Amino acid sequence: MNQIGIAIVGCGGVTLQNHLPGLALCPDAKVVALCDSDAGCLERARQQTGITIASTKYEEIVSRDDVHAVIIATPNFTHPPIALAAIARGKHVLCEKPLALNYANAKEMADAADKAGVRHMTAFTYRFVPAMRYLSELVRRGDLGQLYHYRSCRLQDWGTRNLGWRQVKKLAGTGELGDMLSHRIDFAHLLVGPMRRLVANTKIVHDQRQGAPSDLDDWVAIIAEFQNGASGVLESSKLASGRNESWRSLDYVEINGSERSCVFITGEWNKLQTGKVGGPGLETITIPEEFWKWPGSPRDPRVGDPLVTFRYDQAWEFVDAIRNQRPCRPSFHDGARAQAAMDAAVKSAAEKTWVEVQG
Ligand SMILES: NC(=O)c1ccc[n+]([C@@H]2O[C@H](COP(=O)([O-])OP(=O)(O)OC[C@H]3O[C@@H](n4cnc5c(N)ncnc54)[C@H](O)[C@@H]3O)[C@@H](O)[C@H]2O)c1
């Protein structure tokens, strides 16, 4: 395999924003085939990329011999069947988050990929923000001491606009929980470790969005206990009016440990705020330059808007893991672990009680 042939299934928003530009920076990889169930969308993608092999049926695309790896960027309910079909054909898979609509399906995907010996990766894109990688390194080497608290807050202003498949339970599974909080659950797992149990609440504020029914949460909050004894508070909302809808809106993570606290804000891609126990308060530090991009990535962090371009390192990680036959970070197991916490949150909100997290 001189060049890794990639097929993209789902040619909508995230493919145009993250996957195609990321792959364009990987000399080892070439997008050889496209799939979208919407013929118009597929034709637009075909014209934009010049890729001639295209189909509205993923089965035709994932079975091709020139396709070595598949990127799945479709609505959530389609992830398991497409991933399992690709894995059955021996293809490596990068799948968008949330991996599935429940933990059982996500675990089935992870186990099937392990058994087939293919590379598997969950698109928890915000792990690739340089400051998050540096923060996880500080935690790993013990700079924060014993971890006491994890806190995350994601606040966006999506108003009452129609969200398409994202507002339909049977297509998306959950609303704000899977869409936005899943990334921050993954941060918590990366930084603190697995959750033991949690209690959650969700709220559907708008049950109609521009005349179409919406049966999914606009707001979610979780209080968590981690297996290592740390506590967590996570909140995410689509209805923080005036905060803007884009990634420039608030995405805040704070960790308090026995030695120091650190604050990560996605918008401050190469900075952290930090303060020592007993000190005068937080100061802002610039992270070391070696963390400004993913290890080995050919991306120049000084080119383009760094709040956009960090996402391209995700494709590099996938391609590099295939080339070097090593596990991807984050894997399907990380996706399944987040799904277990999401399942627990749904159950907790429905039953108004603490729920043990599976997995
Ligand atoms: N990692 C991130 O930062 C991030 C950002 C945005 C979206 N996402 C995830 O990416 C996925 C797609 O989101 P999006 O915003 O691109 O949605 P989108 O609606 O813009 O695009 C999805 C595309 O998939 C196509 N599609 C639907 N069913 C299909 C099928 N069975 N086979 C082939 N194509 C099919 C649709 O026609 C559409 O073009 C979701 O799981 C979402 O949660 C992740």
Side-chain angles (χ1 to χ4, degrees), residues 13 36 39 91 98 128 175 199 244:
D36 198 290
K91 314 300 183 189
F128 293 83
V199 63
N244 192 287

Side-chain angles (χ1 to χ4, degrees), residues 44-111:
R44 276 193 299 282
R46 216 178 58 76
Q47 284 182 13
Q48 203 172 322
T49 59
I51 295 159
T52 51
I53 297 162
S55 171
T56 54
K57 296 192 168 45
Y58 69 81
E59 296 88 341
E60 289 176 9
I61 291 296
V62 304
S63 57
R64 293 182 61 88
D65 289 342
D66 56 353
V67 168
H68 306 115
V70 177
I71 294 182
I72 301 170
T74 50
N76 306 343
F77 78 105
T78 64
H79 296 171
I82 300 172
L84 292 173
I87 292 164
R89 292 293 189 148
K91 314 300 183 189
H92 310 290
V93 182
L94 164 56
C95 183
E96 273 301 343
K97 46 51 62 179
L99 272 193
L101 300 193
N102 56 57
Y103 174 67
N105 285 348
K107 178 85 167 63
E108 183 187 359
M109 291 161 70
D111 290 345

Side-chain angles (χ1 to χ4, degrees), residues 110-132:
D111 290 345
D114 276 347
K115 198 164 166 213
V118 298
R119 305 299 117 207
H120 49 85
M121 181 167 172
T122 306
F124 282 130
T125 311
Y126 295 89
R127 270 201 195 198
F128 293 83
V129 180
M132 174 51 70

Side-chain angles (χ1 to χ4, degrees), residues 92-320:
H92 310 290
V93 182
L94 164 56
C95 183
E96 273 301 343
K97 46 51 62 179
L99 272 193
L101 300 193
N102 56 57
Y103 174 67
N105 285 348
K107 178 85 167 63
E108 183 187 359
M109 291 161 70
D111 290 345
D114 276 347
K115 198 164 166 213
V118 298
R119 305 299 117 207
H120 49 85
M121 181 167 172
T122 306
F124 282 130
T125 311
Y126 295 89
R127 270 201 195 198
F128 293 83
V129 180
M132 174 51 70
R133 192 161 74 83
Y134 186 57
L135 174 55
S136 68
E137 172 62 14
L138 294 183
V139 170
R140 191 198 60 75
R141 69 185 198 204
D143 281 22
L144 278 75
Q146 181 194 343
L147 301 181
Y148 294 150
H149 309 307
Y150 169 88
R151 195 170 299 112
S152 71
C153 195
R154 180 71 171 127
L155 299 181
Q156 291 183 293
D157 177 5
W158 291 45
T160 55
R161 75 172 175 84
N162 187 291
L163 305 179
W165 61 266
R166 279 183 168 78
Q167 68 184 51
V168 182
K169 188 173 186 174
K170 65 176 195 280
L171 307 181
T174 59
E176 185 66 1
L177 173 58
D179 209 16
M180 294 294 152
L181 199 69
S182 58
H183 290 287
R184 283 83 216 173
I185 290 171
D186 179 63
F187 284 165
H189 288 155
L190 174 71
L191 297 171
V192 186
M195 293 177 187
R196 176 183 294 130
R197 62 177 199 149
L198 59 77
V199 63
N201 200 8
T202 56
K203 183 97 184 155
I204 302 173
V205 179
H206 299 302
D207 60 5
Q208 296 275 322
R209 286 179 164 275
Q210 291 182 319
S214 175
D215 57 358
L216 288 176
D217 46 290
D218 300 306
W219 172 88
V220 54
I222 292 175
I223 297 177
E225 278 180 14
F226 292 86
Q227 287 181 10
N228 64 4
S231 54
V233 178
L234 302 84
E235 184 195 13
S236 201
S237 179
K238 292 194 188 312
L239 296 174
S241 305
R243 279 203 172 262
N244 192 287
E245 181 175 332
S246 77
W247 52 75
R248 291 175 199 281
S249 52
L250 186 70
D251 183 14
Y252 176 97
V253 172
E254 177 165 343
I255 302 211
N256 311 118
S258 57
E259 300 302 317
R260 62 171 57 247
S261 292
C262 283
V263 170
F264 158 90
I265 299 174
T266 298
E268 295 176 5
W269 64 276
N270 66 351
K271 293 189 167 53
L272 288 175
Q273 293 168 41
T274 185
K276 269 183 88 155
V277 60
L282 300 185
E283 59 168 339
T284 300
I285 57 164
T286 299
I287 67 170
E289 213 166 315
E290 69 196 83
F291 284 85
W292 286 19
K293 60 176 187 167
W294 204 250
S297 164
R299 183 174 67 86
D300 180 347
R302 288 186 173 76
V303 171
D305 178 347
L307 281 188
V308 176
T309 55
F310 74 82
R311 294 151 211 272
Y312 306 163
D313 287 352
Q314 180 175 265
W316 165 260
E317 165 63 13
F318 183 49
V319 169
D320 189 60

